[in-house]
Amino acid sequence: MSDAIGNVRTRDAMSPRKRCRASSTALPSDLVLEIVARSDAATLLRCAACCKPLRRDILSPAFIHRICHGPGAVVPPRLLAFLQSYDIFFHPAGDSPPPPLPPFVLAHPATPAAARLSDKHIAPFVSRASAAGGVGGLLSLYDPVTSRGGLVVLRRRDHAGVPQESGICVYDPMIGGRTFLPDPPEMASFSPDDGFSTYALLTASDGISCSFLLLAVDFKLLMYPARTIMVRTFSSGAGEWSPITSAASDRLSHCYYLHPDCAAVVLGGGVVHWVMQGGRRYRFHVLTYNVGTAAVGLVDLPAMDLLPESYGHWSDANLRLAASPDGSRLTLLVRDRLTVSVWRQLPAGGAGGGWAKHAVIDTEATLRSLLPELPVTSWQHNAIWFTSVGERSGVVLFHLMDDAEERLVALDIETKEMHRVCRHGNPRVQAFPFEIDLESRLSAMKTF
């Protein structure tokens, strides 16, 4: 009896939290994992920080694949989004400040899970991290020039008063990380807007031994008998620009110009691809640069007669280059009015690998249902205008060429699904698309 009384007294003396712990039993680990798999991305990350065993289970390749691709997936494998900022030229110093602008806007996928993650977590964080100074924040001092792997390369605006030693910023919107570096030496006139200079970015997922490698590439010498390109690289590991590397190829026998609307595409092994125009009959080619070997090459695109007649018209942005879903081959998108042809490079690759037509997508019927407000007459001579293509998401953004409001549409080239993108319609707003690979970010998290 005395033992029983002592136990009662001990239990009564326990705090409510300890009493709860003493009377409860732990859930089986497999049941906890099932609960996590049915939560959302933010809850999943919180659970991964709870304890080591649960973290190991969550970060296992099989579980990550399940929550990103399986039935009821709670984490979108990739997000295609916009970084938005006001163009400071439209807002002189004496004008009243414009209304607040969300710097992060989701473009794809149009799913509840993606919208919840973007609206409740990513967008508020980016707003706090990048727009702390309002219009005078990071995105009003720098212009985005390229992106890859969720990192965005920003270049200072000439009128922003940013010192040259901080002329470039490599920005990670997901964590607010910023790495400032100087402009490439001996490239004082280097400007991606001149059609002869560009930047390309590699990240850890491309097999490099650091968090990022930035290339500054000058194509001006392609116009001269030298037929070479000049490259400098900045490694986050080395922390400084490399000496200039000059690279040439026997196939560079004619002048080539960088296509102004096609971003660089990086494939596995650190090979960068740019769409160029030139050579015999002024056709399009793909110029390649191997970061590891500094070798330059050319990849021929499908024959002229397989593409629309407007293919050779320089001002007509009717083609885009992208990577295949697995990142190993090139994908070429060509539009002919309201039809998109998808070409996929054959596995052999290189100049002799050739191409095969992967799909032909007629967008007209779906666009009519997505844009019922457009008059019937606007469809008679209309065509779509490519805006950008996701790195690995297989999504192309476009708008109708005759649409004054530029209603933006996202097309998934694998599923052929389309949806409207609610981007800010203010012409004073600059919107730069970039892609976040959530699956890779989860896979890269450390286990303890």
Side-chain angles (χ1 to χ4, degrees):
M1 179 67 71
S2 61
D3 292 338
I5 294 175
N7 289 337
V8 171
R9 289 175 177 172
T10 302
R11 186 170 62 252
D12 291 341
M14 295 171 60
S15 66
R17 181 176 296 180
K18 291 183 177 178
R19 191 181 305 129
C20 180
R21 290 177 179 174
S23 60
S24 63
T25 57
L27 291 174
S29 59
D30 56 344
L31 181 56
V32 174
L33 208 58
E34 287 298 319
I35 295 174
V36 173
R38 288 164 171 77
S39 61
D40 56 22
T43 302
L44 182 144
L45 291 176
R46 295 190 186 103
C47 292
C50 288
C51 62
K52 294 179 181 179
L54 182 57
R55 185 181 182 89
R56 284 194 294 267
D57 290 339
I58 290 175
L59 299 184
S60 67
F63 186 77
I64 291 178
H65 185 272
R66 172 188 173 184
I67 60 175
C68 291
H69 300 281
V74 297
V75 178
R78 295 180 182 88
L79 296 179
L80 186 60
F82 289 104
L83 280 182
Q84 294 189 139
S85 66
Y86 283 110
D87 189 339
I88 200 170
F89 283 116
F90 285 93
H91 302 283
D95 287 5
S96 58
L101 176 72
F104 181 94
V105 176
L106 179 68
H108 183 83
T111 62
R116 184 166 54 250
L117 176 62
S118 172
D119 297 342
K120 300 296 184 182
H121 301 283
I122 301 179
F125 175 80
V126 174
S127 297
R128 293 191 300 269
S130 66
V135 178
L138 181 67
L139 296 180
S140 65
L141 300 176
Y142 291 82
D143 286 321
V145 292
T146 190
S147 67
R148 181 164 176 78
L151 300 180
V152 181
V153 178
L154 308 170
R155 189 170 183 268
R156 79 184 190 283
R157 296 182 175 181
D158 292 336
H159 56 273
V162 178
Q164 187 175 0
E165 52 269 22
S166 301
I168 298 173
C169 177
V170 180
Y171 174 50
D172 187 342
M174 286 288 288
I175 63 173
R178 309 176 187 189
T179 301
F180 294 94
L181 51 140
D183 289 325
E186 301 174 18
M187 292 183 176
S189 60
F190 192 87
S191 173
D193 299 327
D194 62 11
F196 300 102
S197 309
T198 189
Y199 291 99
L201 184 67
L202 277 71
T203 63
S205 61
D206 296 308
I208 61 176
S209 58
C210 52
S211 59
F212 71 84
L213 181 71
L214 180 62
L215 281 71
V217 187
D218 196 332
F219 298 103
K220 291 185 180 71
L221 290 183
L222 287 180
M223 298 182 61
Y224 301 97
R227 302 287 186 261
T228 61
I229 66 174
M230 297 185 296
V231 181
R232 277 190 185 271
T233 61
F234 185 99
S235 166
S236 60
E240 60 181 4
W241 286 100
S242 70
I244 290 180
T245 298
S246 298
S249 170
D250 295 338
R251 295 196 65 196
L252 298 176
S253 56
H254 300 273
C255 296
Y256 289 91
Y257 302 86
L258 180 68
H259 193 294
D261 297 321
C262 292
V265 175
V266 182
L267 298 186
V271 181
V272 190
H273 302 72
W274 297 274
V275 175
M276 311 291 290
Q277 188 174 25
R280 292 188 178 90
R281 294 184 293 177
Y282 213 55
R283 291 184 54 190
F284 288 112
H285 299 268
V286 176
L287 186 144
T288 67
Y289 178 77
N290 189 310
V291 176
T293 63
V296 176
L298 284 178
V299 175
D300 294 324
L301 292 179
M304 178 76 75
D305 56 359
L306 296 179
L307 301 176
E309 293 180 358
S310 60
Y311 181 63
H313 193 265
W314 177 243
S315 62
D316 192 355
N318 70 326
L319 76 159
R320 283 294 187 276
L321 200 65
S324 60
D326 62 359
S328 64
R329 291 179 285 158
L330 294 175
T331 295
L332 177 68
L333 307 178
V334 182
R335 69 106 179 126
D336 184 9
R337 296 195 68 245
L338 297 175
T339 300
V340 178
S341 298
V342 183
W343 295 78
R344 188 68 47 80
Q345 191 180 25
L346 296 177
W355 298 78
K357 185 175 287 188
H358 179 70
V360 177
I361 305 171
D362 189 346
T363 67
E364 183 171 358
T366 305
L367 286 178
R368 286 180 180 272
S369 64
L370 289 176
L371 306 171
E373 68 273 20
L374 292 181
V376 176
T377 55
S378 67
W379 298 96
Q380 294 177 356
H381 303 289
N382 218 328
I384 61 177
W385 187 274
F386 291 144
T387 301
S388 65
V389 183
E391 296 172 35
R392 297 280 298 281
S393 60
V395 174
V396 58
L397 301 176
F398 64 86
H399 61 83
L400 293 177
M401 294 176 63
D402 294 338
D403 185 6
E405 297 185 18
E406 293 190 1
R407 298 166 178 85
L408 205 61
V409 176
L411 165 64
D412 189 317
I413 61 177
E414 294 298 324
T415 65
K416 300 179 178 59
E417 296 177 346
M418 284 181 274
H419 66 87
R420 293 183 67 166
V421 177
C422 298
R423 187 185 63 175
H424 204 294
N426 191 333
R428 300 181 176 186
V429 173
Q430 300 183 104
F432 181 79
F434 75 107
E435 190 173 285
I436 302 171
D437 192 331
L438 294 179
E439 185 177 5
S440 294
R441 292 208 174 212
L442 286 176
S443 301
M445 291 175 63
K446 296 180 180 179
T447 56
F448 302 103

